[in-house]
Amino acid sequence: MKAFTALAATELRLLFRDPASLFFMMAFPLMLLVLKRGDSGAVPGYVAMIVAIGGMGALPGIVASYRERKVLKRLAATPISPVLLLGAQLVAQVAAGLAGSVLLVVAAITVFGAEAPGNVLMLAVAFLLCSVMVCSLGFVIAAVVRNTRGASLIGMLVMFPMIFLAGAAVPRTALPDSLRRIGDFLPLTPGVEALGDAWSGTAAVFPLLILAGIIVAATAVAAALFRWE
Amino acid sequence: MEAIEVTDLRKTYGSTRAVDGVTFTVRAGETFGLVGHNGAGKTTTVECLIGLKRPDAGTVRVLGEDPARRRQALAQRIGAQLQESSLPERIKVAEALRMFGTFYRKGADWRQVMERWSLQPLARKAFGDLSGGQKQRLMLALALVGDPEVVVLDELTTGLDPIARRETWRLVGDLKAVGTTVVLVSHYFDETEALCDRVAVFARGRVVAMGTPDDIVARTGTASLEEAYFALEGADR
Ligand SMILES: Nc1ncnc2c1ncn2[C@@H]1O[C@H](COP(=O)(O)OP(=O)(O)OP(=O)(O)O)[C@@H](O)[C@H]1O
Ligand SMILES: [Mg+2]
């Protein structure tokens, strides 16, 4: 436990030392909120966007580089399992996403006078499931794509269309019909829905169940396909 | 007592017989050297000792246990410097030492290790900003934060400047003085002669000579370990 705490704390510090992660998970969503003149309806979507940027935009490249640069191998020569490093990366991504999201929500409420979230407990559950879900997809990408550049690139290529089509960056009602239908099949869509429902106070359980199902399936796939070397 | 026993170890990659029937033992407290040409099977052998590779055949016992089955338990007692490995680019030297310290139940004081390896001037430097030799020194220090009984050093001083090399010799000598068993892979004969109680000369996946450096020199009728090595290599080719 002591080892895992140290690993997770270190991974979180490393994320905060990365200017790209810092910008896209903290400053960028705030800038979008300002551009939207503080429209609080956009906040749950932006929260989904923040975690997607971390879990799919950053995580695959980080994990692939740990494998390629033999960081995982070095850990395998210590008493801890390299699986713990992957767990620590997950915890760090969730924590960084939480920091960015809290910053965004606090700014929306204090600066733009948005109403406080309707159901804080459900919002927390939705946040946790959504952020673990995008990380599990990130692990699948890192498992399938061998090298660092490839994993980063594929992560971005999956993440960008998804945040638009799932209604995270723009509301799905603004999309043409055909594009909206694609969104029905994207794993981030139930994440945006769950966050939006909890934000407005009409908590629905169905999207949460879907998120949990995706986490289980993606983790199984990642575990089956992951190569340590 | 034997700290390490390797019997008829074999490991094949596709059609490459990387290790082709290697047998040796290392007594507790001994410093044992592995020398040999590139691709001779040294790294494969030491990676079997720390449980990173699973032998195709043969037995390996380290401190009485099988590393392939008991890797994590044994890792509490073995420190390793791998030929190729690294840390996250942005992790700082002190951070890495402190973090590795939490992996071990007993462990040495990471601050002392940092000091002993003259790393405190680099404490706040990121791994990615270190020079090659500085990285090497950190990886060596990380092999020792667990206060191990057996230390495996693959290419101990490759990339170190002459002063750092001598300094590293002295520190390996200190390990010997406290009874640590050391297995070291090296391409330098001066280093091997200065540090090792016994040496195994590897060629093409086999051990072609083994004994104290003096033994090997005497048996080949040469004047130095380096000449003995050339004689052995020539005879084997
Ligand atoms: N993962 C691998 N896949 C395929 N072949 C490998 C692998 N690892 C090692 N080999 C091969 O096994 C042989 C022994 O390699 P090894 O790394 O043990 O040599 P070495 O004695 O450590 O060499 P060096 O002095 O260059 O470090 C080489 O022919 C190498 O190409
Ligand atoms: Mg080698």
Side-chain angles (χ1 to χ4, degrees), chain A residues 140-158:
Chain A
V140 171
I141 295 169
V144 178
V145 189
R146 295 262 201 102
N147 62 33
T148 308
R149 279 161 158 273
S152 300
L153 185 68
I154 302 288
M156 298 284 188
L157 287 178
V158 172

Side-chain angles (χ1 to χ4, degrees), chain A residues 3-194:
Chain A
F4 184 70
T5 314
L7 274 171
T10 306
E11 286 299 301
L12 185 61
R13 273 199 300 273
L14 296 182
L15 278 185
F16 283 136
R17 256 172 229 163
D18 174 24
S21 287
L22 212 54
F23 175 75
F24 282 108
M25 294 177 82
M26 308 282 158
F28 182 61
L30 286 177
M31 286 164 52
L32 290 183
L33 187 69
V34 172
L35 288 177
K36 280 266 195 177
R37 296 196 187 78
D39 171 16
S40 71
V43 171
Y46 290 171
V47 168
M49 182 182 74
I50 290 172
V51 295
I53 289 172
M56 290 189 282
L59 183 144
I62 295 173
V63 171
S65 84
Y66 285 177
R67 173 178 48 213
E68 190 166 278
R69 297 181 55 248
K70 303 200 191 288
V71 177
L72 292 175
K73 183 170 181 176
R74 181 63 189 85
L75 280 191
T78 72
I80 67 150
S81 161
V83 175
L84 282 193
L85 181 64
L86 303 188
Q89 172 62 211
L90 170 77
V91 170
Q93 288 291 354
V94 172
L98 183 65
S101 302
V102 167
L103 194 65
L104 180 73
V105 169
V106 168
I109 294 171
T110 58
V111 181
F112 296 103
E115 271 187 49
N119 191 333
V120 176
L121 181 67
M122 282 304 248
L123 188 62
V125 173
F127 172 84
L128 190 64
L129 285 174
C130 186
S131 85
V132 173
M133 187 278 293
V134 289
C135 289
S136 70
L137 296 181
F139 283 122
V140 171
I141 295 169
V144 178
V145 189
R146 295 262 201 102
N147 62 33
T148 308
R149 279 161 158 273
S152 300
L153 185 68
I154 302 288
M156 298 284 188
L157 287 178
V158 172
M159 185 268 291
F160 270 116
M162 201 180 305
I163 60 176
F164 283 101
L165 297 175
V170 290
R172 285 177 74 208
T173 47
L175 297 174
D177 244 11
S178 51
L179 289 182
R180 197 175 329 158
R181 235 169 287 129
I182 301 178
D184 287 338
F185 301 99
L186 293 177
L188 193 60
T189 310
V192 176
E193 274 171 28

Side-chain angles (χ1 to χ4, degrees), chain A residues 2-4 6-7 10-11 13-14 17-19 66 69-82 85 229, chain B residues 47 50 52 71-72 75-76 80 82 84-92 95 98-100 102-104 127 139 142-143:
Chain A
K2 191 176 52 156
F4 184 70
L7 274 171
T10 306
E11 286 299 301
R13 273 199 300 273
L14 296 182
R17 256 172 229 163
D18 174 24
Y66 285 177
R69 297 181 55 248
K70 303 200 191 288
V71 177
L72 292 175
K73 183 170 181 176
R74 181 63 189 85
L75 280 191
T78 72
I80 67 150
S81 161
L85 181 64
E229 294 203 34
Chain B
E47 288 190 352
I50 50 186
L52 288 181
R71 181 184 72 72
Q72 281 189 303
Q76 287 286 353
L82 307 177
E84 261 184 70
S85 73
S86 63
L87 299 175
E89 289 283 314
R90 288 195 172 83
I91 199 169
K92 297 189 172 152
E95 238 171 18
R98 176 161 33 101
M99 185 175 87
F100 271 65
T102 65
F103 299 166
Y104 298 89
F127 181 78
M139 295 318 254
L142 289 177

Side-chain angles (χ1 to χ4, degrees), chain B residues 187 189 201 216 220 222 224-237:
Chain B
H187 285 298
F189 293 103
V201 180
I216 295 176
T220 48
T222 51
S224 70
L225 190 60
E226 183 164 12
E227 280 179 26
Y229 176 76
F230 288 130
L232 286 162
E233 267 287 283
D236 191 68
R237 226 167 260 251

